Amino acid sequence: MEKGQPVWLRSKASQWGWVPAVVHDREEVTIKGITVLKVTLRDDPRSVHGSPNTSSKVETMSPFYDVDIHRTSEIRGGDGYYTAVEPFEITLTIDLESIERDELDDIKIRDNESNTSVEDLIGLTHLHEPAILHSLRLRYDEDVIYTSTGPILIAINPFKAMPLYTNEVMEKYRLQGELGLSVGNVKKGDSSSEKRLPPHAYLTADDAYRAMMRGIENSFSTGASANRKSHRRGEVKSQDDNETPTNQSILVSGESGAGKTVTTKIVLNYFAMLSKLASANNNTGES
């Protein structure tokens, strides 16, 4: 933790629970034979909270918008996140071992590019509470309510109608799945991963559906006769670690009013669309 290091400081002065600060001074001192670090933090005067005129709007904005319906500038990053926080200077005494183990509860390292939001939180340089909150906040202000963290989808209730659930949007995610760009088919580092549509409830639903279908296809490809022989010999077929399970589950959880019921309906609508399409294709094939 050097001079000039941007950090997040836990503070009750902010409704967010954290305020941006910068290391103004540091000094190692010995107290009763124990070497500790005295760190002086000051409020960060630089704008790190976004601005209506920055390019972050284009980078984080959902590709499904045809018009600019973003939230008013009064609640955007550069116009009110920390206006209620008075300038401050605070000196803390920190155990050196806690710094080395990154076990500080009230101070967290802040990225220099703090206004950069990510579609997957795993991509954050420092993955901790204030960094996650800040990224989600920036995306929410741009009306981007979906963010991934690995296989988990985080959805923030926008409390207003969103143009994210049209038939056209649904079709885009279906076509993506048909092209084989689901999670199970895209390996880390594959250039195909860059072509995937942004996080969405439709994407989660489609990934589960494609994984289920792969599991069914794999079960058929192993051969029913081989399974019957194993059963006759009393053998129990073990599932390969790399084999996709046929059964899939989507767990929708959250606080009261977070939008669990609506999200479940969105997922079911997507499955209904897939089922209707499969039925129509089967009827066409029979005729």
Side-chain angles (χ1 to χ4, degrees), residues 6-11 14-21 48-49 81-82 102 104-111 113-118 121 124-139:
V7 297
W8 291 104
L9 173 66
R10 191 186 298 276
S11 173
S14 169
Q15 61 175 320
W16 310 105
W18 299 83
V19 295
V48 296
H49 321 304
Y81 279 167
Y82 306 105
D102 194 20
L104 300 176
D105 293 330
D106 298 329
I107 303 176
K108 299 294 182 182
I109 300 298
R110 177 163 55 90
D111 293 337
E113 300 292 334
S114 296
N115 318 330
T116 304
S117 67
V118 293
L121 295 177
L124 290 173
T125 303
H126 302 286
L127 188 61
H128 46 56
E129 179 184 324
I132 291 173
L133 291 175
H134 187 63
S135 182
L136 293 177
R137 184 169 58 231
L138 289 173
R139 292 173 67 77

Side-chain angles (χ1 to χ4, degrees), residues 62 64-65 143-146 153 155-171 173 199-203 259 262-263 265-267 269-270:
S62 169
F64 305 118
Y65 288 105
D143 280 338
V144 182
I145 64 172
Y146 289 119
L153 178 68
I156 303 178
N157 193 336
F159 294 101
K160 69 176 184 178
M162 301 285 286
L164 297 176
Y165 311 105
T166 63
N167 292 334
E168 291 75 14
V169 173
M170 195 180 294
E171 181 65 6
Y173 282 96
H200 196 293
Y202 291 158
L203 181 60
V262 173
T263 297
K265 290 179 180 179
I266 292 169
V267 171
N269 283 337
Y270 189 82

Side-chain angles (χ1 to χ4, degrees), residues 205-229:
D206 192 85
D207 285 342
Y209 172 76
R210 305 298 169 185
M212 180 187 70
M213 296 307 295
R214 286 197 302 273
I216 294 174
E217 292 170 2
N218 289 339
S219 65
F220 280 116
S221 65
T222 56
S225 59
N227 287 335
R228 284 197 296 269
K229 290 179 181 178

Side-chain angles (χ1 to χ4, degrees), residues 211-260:
M212 180 187 70
M213 296 307 295
R214 286 197 302 273
I216 294 174
E217 292 170 2
N218 289 339
S219 65
F220 280 116
S221 65
T222 56
S225 59
N227 287 335
R228 284 197 296 269
K229 290 179 181 178
S230 297
H231 287 308
R232 282 199 298 268
R233 293 195 298 266
E235 297 176 359
V236 178
K237 182 180 180 297
S238 61
Q239 182 173 303
D240 192 300
D241 290 338
N242 296 323
E243 185 179 342
T244 302
T246 302
N247 295 329
Q248 298 289 316
S249 299
I250 297 177
L251 174 63
V252 182
S253 63
E255 296 182 350
S256 177
K260 298 184 296 296

Side-chain angles (χ1 to χ4, degrees), residues 58-152:
V58 177
E59 296 169 357
T60 62
M61 183 175 173
S62 169
F64 305 118
Y65 288 105
D66 295 324
V67 294
D68 183 3
I69 59 168
H70 287 266
R71 299 175 186 280
T72 58
S73 61
E74 285 76 11
I75 64 169
R76 285 181 49 85
D79 297 291
Y81 279 167
Y82 306 105
T83 55
V85 179
E86 297 293 334
F88 62 85
E89 179 175 300
I90 182 173
T91 300
L92 304 174
T93 301
I94 306 173
D95 178 22
L96 289 177
E97 291 186 2
S98 297
I99 297 178
E100 294 176 357
R101 294 193 300 264
D102 194 20
E103 294 179 349
L104 300 176
D105 293 330
D106 298 329
I107 303 176
K108 299 294 182 182
I109 300 298
R110 177 163 55 90
D111 293 337
N112 286 314
E113 300 292 334
S114 296
N115 318 330
T116 304
S117 67
V118 293
E119 289 189 348
D120 192 330
L121 295 177
I122 292 178
L124 290 173
T125 303
H126 302 286
L127 188 61
H128 46 56
E129 179 184 324
I132 291 173
L133 291 175
H134 187 63
S135 182
L136 293 177
R137 184 169 58 231
L138 289 173
R139 292 173 67 77
Y140 184 77
D141 283 354
E142 300 291 356
D143 280 338
V144 182
I145 64 172
Y146 289 119
T147 305
S148 294
T149 174
I152 301 172

